[in-house]
Amino acid sequence: MAAVAAALGRLGRRWSGLGRCGPRGLSRPHLATASGPRRSLSASQEFTSLDEKPKFPGASAEFVDSLNFIQPNVISGIPIYRVMDRQGQIMNTSEDPKLPKDMVLKFYQKMTLLNTMDRILYESQRQGRISFYMTNYGEEGTHIGSAAALNATDLVFGQYREAGVLMYRGYPLELFMGQCYANAKDEGKGRQMPVHYGSNIHHFVTISSPLATQIPQAVGAAYSFKMAQGDRAVICYFGEGAASEGDAHAGFNFSATLECPIIFFCRNNGYAISTPTHEQYRGDGIAARGPGYGIMSIRVDGNDVFAVYNATKEARRRAVAENQPFLIEAMTYRIGHHSTSDDSSAYRSVDEVNYWDKKDHPISRLRHYMVSKGWWDEEQEKAWRKQSRKRVMEAFEEAERCLKPKLENMFTDVYEDMPPQLKKQQESLGRHLKMYGEHYPIDLFDK
Amino acid sequence: MATLSRLLVRGGGLRRGLGPGPWGAAAAAAAPVTNTATRSAAHFTFVSDPVPTQYGPTQKMNLFQSITSGLDNVLAKDPSAVVFGEDVAFGGVFRCTVGLRDKYGKERVFNTPLCEQGIVGFGIGVAVTGATAIAEIQFADYIFPAFDQIVNEAAKYRFRSGNLFECGGLTIRAPWGCVGHGSLYHSQSPEAFFSHIPGIKVVIPRSPVQAKGLLLSCIEDKNPCIFFEPKILYRAAVEQVPVEAYHIPLSQAEVLQEGSDVTLVAWGTQVHVMREVATMAQEKLGVSCEVIDLKTILPWDIETVCKSVVKTGRLLISHEAPVTGGFSAEISSTVQEECFLNLEAPINRVCGYDTPFPHVFEPFYIPDKWKCFDAIRKMINY
């Protein structure tokens, strides 16, 4: 039994959650025997010894003489780190990041500007003016808090719900709109569906629809940064549904064995489209998987922008200094529908949604904090709402007036240079349009 | 993922690897693989080209050594280049990376966990930062777990981002083709699956000289490339290969033998089968064959093939992969469109059958010289 305790105790050092579900009365002295060199031992291990210590190369562990399965602890999971309560009060002053007023105002303005843009583009899709949209309702705090804790040149890999990170980095409203409208100002040249943003000058790798593919890619980029020794980190965002993909397993494991300076940032908002988390996994969320890969892990309150900021800041510092991955699981609630192609009332109650919208929202929590500091009041709120709405509407109207990109953009960038057979296909379309142009919406496109 | 069978063949690779001829030493004897009493010879005879003199001093190398030589040149010249995959650190199960880790360090030549989707995703990420990523998939048969990363990601990176991001620095190498006894999962020729993916390049060499020159072009090319290495040639093909770096252009087929009656198109090992078939046709039928090595599957050299067919009026395409949906269908259709007035007989395809690649039946499965010869005979008499 003592050996079981030692084994569990060792696990417990990395993840106290598992320790709690093991036998009681962990024998502390045994922990000492577990420390010291580990993996390096196997290479020089002597096989002549007659003692009963395990010699398996695959794990560093003691023998036990009684049968005990390790039980997952899902009832009392990894705790959720928070800095302020729902009224915006700092709970533990030693955890207060004490951010200056202008930075906190920037947090608030970026979160609310994103919210305003969401409302207008959501409506725009409802009216058929853009083909698709995904809002960020309820996730504003995770985007802004994490983006603020990064260096501006840290490379971001994400999905289609991280617009706030771009917003924080100063991506212009004009380009958000240009992408959603696929107009001539879209740097992506009108090729992808709406909300598939990307910006090289903001170090935000272009979004793609296939889930989780960005996870092992982000690890490769982090490895490259390590090789270049340039003090850059990579952050990779994904939802708890995407974490079920094989690519998530690939990325987590590679990041640990190849010692990459990366932050995995999982947004656990309770649903993957209509699938609730109890149909997604049976462990303790995503954070509990981290230690299984040898990854330092934490769970934070995603509605608490300071908790997100603190966790990301420390993870970034250590990831770069130590060349090892960190996993942050931010607990949130997806207040909006999955996308404009989805009606979430088909699978969850209005009461549930209302709770998070009215009682526990990242924006209102930060506003409480600012009001209590005397940094914000009703009048400023009103003025800012009006001003941000005006800015979004201006960008919106301009985007709508803009022509679509030139038709040649359908053929370029498939390869760096256009192969002759593709050039022929482009010419063939040109000839076709000369004869049948009246049947195509040519006028909407830039010449 | 087929762990047992893979281990068995890995063991086989290792055993052979312990024989003479590690990288830098004299090349191993070019004996064809002879594995069972029922098979006394390989299905092809390797024919080397004249020694290339234009690229400086040469050294005798087999195909795996020419790959190592190419990787060595790249790692020496490009400080951002990394080589990774399953078991590449100790030299690889086919010895293609022997000595590179010791020479360039364990951060540049390293093992990954056993996960193909991870290997390609990781390689894309390295390439996105502008570095050179050379990923190995241990057998082409095991590239399918990475299909999503190749099709949906690598191939579309530049296009979908409007050229803001790209992964042109990525090259994926994988042993390819039949080997006499490889059965379902150590024999496959998956190039046709990849030929349907705008945005990648797919390249297959026929010899050590070709392998090094084409591999270096793939690595320097600004597009993600898949480089299939005919593993039956790793040891069987030996010739003089330039020691320094040189490049053989992509998307350019090569006319290996000029002829006037029939055009024969193939790639990889099958080029050697076609060369022998051309000799047989000349000797037995008095038919003059033009032999073309396509080399690049995507984007392929339509011009060279069509020019030849305009001259000969007949076309035979042959590949080991199954006939239905094989790349020969693409060539055939294109040539039919471009050379309709010149064709004097239906285009013929001699390929693998539409079955999984079998173990003991391999001699009956492959499109060998007799099957190709018979096709020419019928085509001439059409």
Side-chain angles (χ1 to χ4, degrees):
Chain A
M1 182 48 86
V4 180
L8 286 169
R10 196 157 2 132
L11 279 169
R13 283 194 308 161
R14 305 203 77 164
W15 175 29
S16 57
L18 186 57
R20 266 181 277 124
C21 71
R24 299 289 164 191
L26 295 182
S27 166
R28 300 299 294 176
H30 281 275
L31 290 177
T33 63
S35 60
R38 292 189 178 187
R39 295 289 301 165
S40 57
L41 199 67
S42 60
S44 59
Q45 211 167 25
E46 287 182 22
F47 283 88
T48 51
S49 165
L50 295 175
D51 69 38
E52 275 298 288
K53 287 208 174 300
K55 293 181 185 296
F56 303 108
S60 172
E62 301 291 326
F63 283 123
V64 293
D65 57 11
S66 59
L67 181 69
N68 273 303
F69 289 99
I70 305 297
Q71 189 184 319
N73 188 2
V74 294
I75 304 301
S76 175
I78 295 172
I80 302 167
Y81 169 70
R82 75 197 306 201
V83 171
M84 57 179 164
D85 64 16
R86 290 178 186 132
Q87 284 69 48
Q89 298 297 311
I90 301 293
M91 305 181 71
N92 176 354
T93 49
S94 66
E95 296 290 326
D96 185 351
K98 298 193 174 64
L99 300 178
K101 179 181 171 184
D102 58 343
M103 192 168 177
V104 174
L105 282 183
K106 182 179 176 186
F107 281 16
Y108 187 74
Q109 293 187 334
K110 294 291 182 181
M111 285 162 77
T112 46
L113 186 61
L114 175 65
N115 191 264
T116 304
M117 182 178 81
D118 274 349
R119 286 174 200 283
I120 288 166
L121 286 178
Y122 181 82
E123 283 309 316
S124 149
Q125 194 284 332
R126 296 282 92 171
Q127 297 163 16
R129 299 162 105 156
I130 59 175
S131 63
F132 180 78
Y133 194 69
M134 297 180 100
T135 64
N136 301 278
Y137 300 149
E139 316 234 16
E140 297 90 342
T142 59
H143 301 182
I144 301 302
S146 56
L150 299 170
N151 287 4
T153 60
D154 288 342
L155 192 60
V156 178
F157 284 79
Q159 259 169 234
Y160 36 59
R161 217 185 293 282
E162 280 90 25
V165 177
L166 269 173
M167 190 69 90
Y168 190 83
R169 288 190 169 188
Y171 192 65
L173 285 172
E174 180 188 27
L175 292 185
F176 279 114
M177 303 284 174
Q179 201 284 327
C180 288
Y181 273 91
N183 67 25
K185 292 203 169 129
D186 175 19
E187 292 186 308
K189 304 178 188 173
R191 292 165 181 158
Q192 288 214 83
M193 280 173 75
V195 308
H196 289 55
Y197 309 114
S199 173
N200 52 358
I201 63 166
H202 297 96
H203 306 283
F204 188 99
V205 179
T206 302
I207 302 305
S208 74
S209 306
L211 286 181
T213 49
Q214 80 278 15
I215 299 175
Q217 294 172 12
V219 175
Y223 189 88
S224 187
F225 286 170
K226 177 176 80 166
M227 295 285 290
Q229 299 181 327
D231 187 41
R232 283 177 81 185
V234 172
I235 191 165
C236 178
Y237 297 89
F238 51 94
E240 91 285 349
S244 293
E245 293 280 4
D247 275 336
H249 167 63
F252 298 158
N253 199 26
F254 278 46
S255 75
T257 65
L258 298 171
E259 299 170 350
C260 300
I262 184 169
I263 302 162
F264 295 112
F265 195 105
C266 178
R267 296 173 291 93
N268 188 336
N269 62 23
Y271 292 90
I273 305 187
S274 73
T275 305
T277 53
H278 71 269
E279 292 171 10
Q280 196 64 248
Y281 53 72
R282 285 298 167 95
D284 172 25
I286 309 304
R289 295 179 195 169
Y293 290 100
I295 298 176
M296 301 286 287
S297 305
I298 194 170
R299 173 175 283 156
V300 304
D301 182 342
N303 291 336
D304 179 345
V305 70
F306 295 142
V308 172
Y309 175 86
N310 281 355
T312 311
K313 190 91 183 161
E314 178 65 0
R316 196 229 171 254
R317 185 186 69 77
R318 290 193 59 185
V320 171
E322 301 163 16
N323 283 323
Q324 67 160 324
F326 283 77
L327 170 62
I328 298 171
E329 181 183 29
M331 309 308 288
T332 62
Y333 187 82
R334 194 195 78 212
I335 295 168
H337 302 299
H338 164 73
S339 73
T340 48
S341 310
D342 172 50
D343 174 10
S344 68
S345 67
Y347 52 82
R348 61 182 188 178
S349 75
V350 177
D351 289 348
E352 181 184 315
V353 177
N354 275 340
Y355 167 79
W356 294 98
D357 199 20
K358 305 284 183 276
K359 307 275 186 199
D360 193 357
H361 196 288
I363 291 178
S364 59
R365 206 190 293 191
L366 185 61
R367 187 162 63 233
H368 286 315
Y369 172 84
M370 289 159 63
V371 170
S372 73
K373 282 272 192 183
W375 293 350
W376 199 251
D377 58 30
E378 200 53 44
E379 207 159 298
Q380 284 168 300
E381 173 73 16
K382 256 180 156 167
W384 169 246
R385 288 271 165 184
K386 197 173 161 192
Q387 189 198 338
S388 59
R389 192 177 158 77
K390 183 164 173 279
R391 281 172 54 189
V392 172
M393 284 308 295
E394 278 169 7
F396 169 81
E397 280 161 14
E398 194 194 315
E400 218 166 36
R401 279 197 302 270
C402 192
L403 285 172
K404 304 291 178 204
K406 289 180 182 170
L407 259 186
E408 68 184 38
N409 287 307
M410 189 162 84
F411 295 94
T412 54
D413 299 331
V414 177
Y415 295 91
E416 194 203 25
D417 297 319
M418 199 182 293
Q421 43 266 64
L422 191 51
K423 209 164 277 173
K424 268 181 79 176
Q425 292 170 25
Q426 185 181 12
E427 288 159 8
S428 139
L429 174 64
R431 282 193 303 275
H432 179 76
L433 291 178
K434 275 211 175 88
M435 273 192 79
Y436 298 95
E438 78 225 55
H439 304 294
Y440 295 85
I442 290 176
D443 295 346
L444 302 179
F445 289 79
D446 203 359
K447 296 286 179 308
Chain B
M1 152 79 32
T3 315
L4 177 61
S5 83
R6 192 141 50 143
L7 278 173
L8 288 171
V9 169
R10 278 181 182 177
L14 257 175
R15 220 166 32 247
R16 293 196 299 275
L18 292 173
W23 168 240
V33 183
T34 56
N35 282 78
T36 65
T38 52
R39 301 207 55 198
S40 56
H43 69 284
F44 68 96
T45 305
F46 175 73
V47 180
S48 66
D49 297 313
V51 178
T53 52
Q54 67 272 44
Y55 307 118
T58 62
Q59 192 177 316
K60 203 171 177 186
M61 297 184 203
N62 62 26
L63 197 139
F64 83 65
Q65 290 165 330
S66 78
I67 298 293
T68 319
S69 174
L71 295 175
D72 189 2
N73 295 147
V74 171
L75 287 162
K77 185 186 143 215
D78 175 357
S80 82
V82 288
V83 172
F84 53 90
E86 294 157 15
D87 306 301
V88 301
F90 86 109
V93 298
F94 287 108
R95 321 307 289 150
C96 293
T97 53
V98 168
L100 297 178
R101 176 188 52 178
D102 291 342
K103 193 166 173 185
Y104 297 101
K106 61 183 169 51
E107 299 228 302
R108 299 188 64 199
V109 180
F110 52 92
N111 291 338
T112 65
L114 205 167
C115 179
E116 286 77 11
Q117 64 199 93
I119 291 170
V120 173
F122 179 89
I124 291 171
V126 170
V128 163
T129 66
T132 300
I134 306 164
E136 177 178 307
I137 298 294
Q138 202 160 71
F139 286 84
D141 310 66
Y142 304 128
I143 202 167
F144 299 109
F147 205 64
D148 185 44
Q149 286 284 356
I150 295 170
V151 181
N152 279 328
E153 296 292 316
K156 298 175 174 46
Y157 234 92
R158 188 191 299 275
F159 182 79
R160 75 183 184 207
S161 71
N163 204 19
L164 295 179
F165 296 93
E166 44 87 16
C167 60
L170 172 68
T171 301
I172 303 166
R173 301 173 37 241
W176 166 97
C178 78
V179 70
H181 54 282
S183 182
L184 287 82
Y185 307 112
H186 301 89
S187 308
Q188 289 183 57
S189 303
E191 63 271 19
F193 289 104
F194 296 96
S195 70
H196 198 57
I197 308 173
I200 59 166
K201 296 191 176 182
V202 182
V203 179
I204 307 175
R206 68 168 186 276
S207 70
V209 170
Q210 291 292 313
K212 179 171 170 177
L214 288 168
L215 176 63
L216 291 180
S217 293
C218 283
I219 292 170
E220 286 203 2
D221 193 86
K222 301 296 180 208
N223 302 285
C225 294
I226 299 178
F227 188 72
F228 287 127
E229 298 164 7
K231 60 184 168 293
I232 200 168
L233 300 178
Y234 271 143
R235 287 168 176 279
V238 184
E239 62 187 1
Q240 289 292 326
V241 179
V243 177
E244 294 303 319
Y246 60 96
H247 298 86
I248 295 174
L250 305 184
S251 294
Q252 278 189 27
E254 182 180 355
V255 178
L256 293 175
Q257 177 184 318
E258 298 210 357
S260 54
D261 299 329
V262 190
T263 299
L264 310 183
V265 172
W267 48 92
T269 318
Q270 197 66 11
V271 170
H272 302 294
V273 175
M274 288 301 224
R275 278 182 148 173
E276 202 173 340
V277 167
T279 307
M280 289 162 68
Q282 185 68 58
E283 287 171 358
K284 296 180 197 295
L285 307 171
V287 168
S288 163
C289 296
E290 181 145 307
V291 180
I292 296 179
D293 178 2
L294 192 66
K295 299 191 205 183
T296 301
I297 306 300
L298 188 74
W300 66 289
D301 183 355
I302 296 173
E303 194 185 336
T304 298
V305 174
C306 287
K307 215 173 124 192
S308 173
V309 175
V310 164
K311 179 175 72 174
T312 63
R314 294 180 186 84
L315 173 62
L316 168 67
I317 314 156
S318 179
H319 56 61
E320 288 175 16
V323 63
T324 301
F327 194 67
S328 58
E330 180 61 38
I331 298 172
S332 172
S333 175
T334 303
V335 170
Q336 186 268 135
E337 275 178 50
E338 300 287 329
C339 313
F340 187 71
L341 295 175
N342 304 93
L343 285 169
E344 291 169 22
I347 296 168
N348 209 308
R349 297 182 286 157
V350 179
C351 306
Y353 299 113
D354 288 338
T355 71
F357 203 104
H359 184 217
V360 75
F361 308 113
E362 178 170 325
F364 303 95
Y365 177 86
I366 54 174
D368 65 9
K369 61 185 176 190
W370 296 109
K371 293 177 184 171
C372 293
F373 173 77
D374 190 51
I376 291 174
R377 192 180 58 80
K378 288 175 178 157
M379 214 188 275
I380 288 297
N381 296 325
Y382 182 80

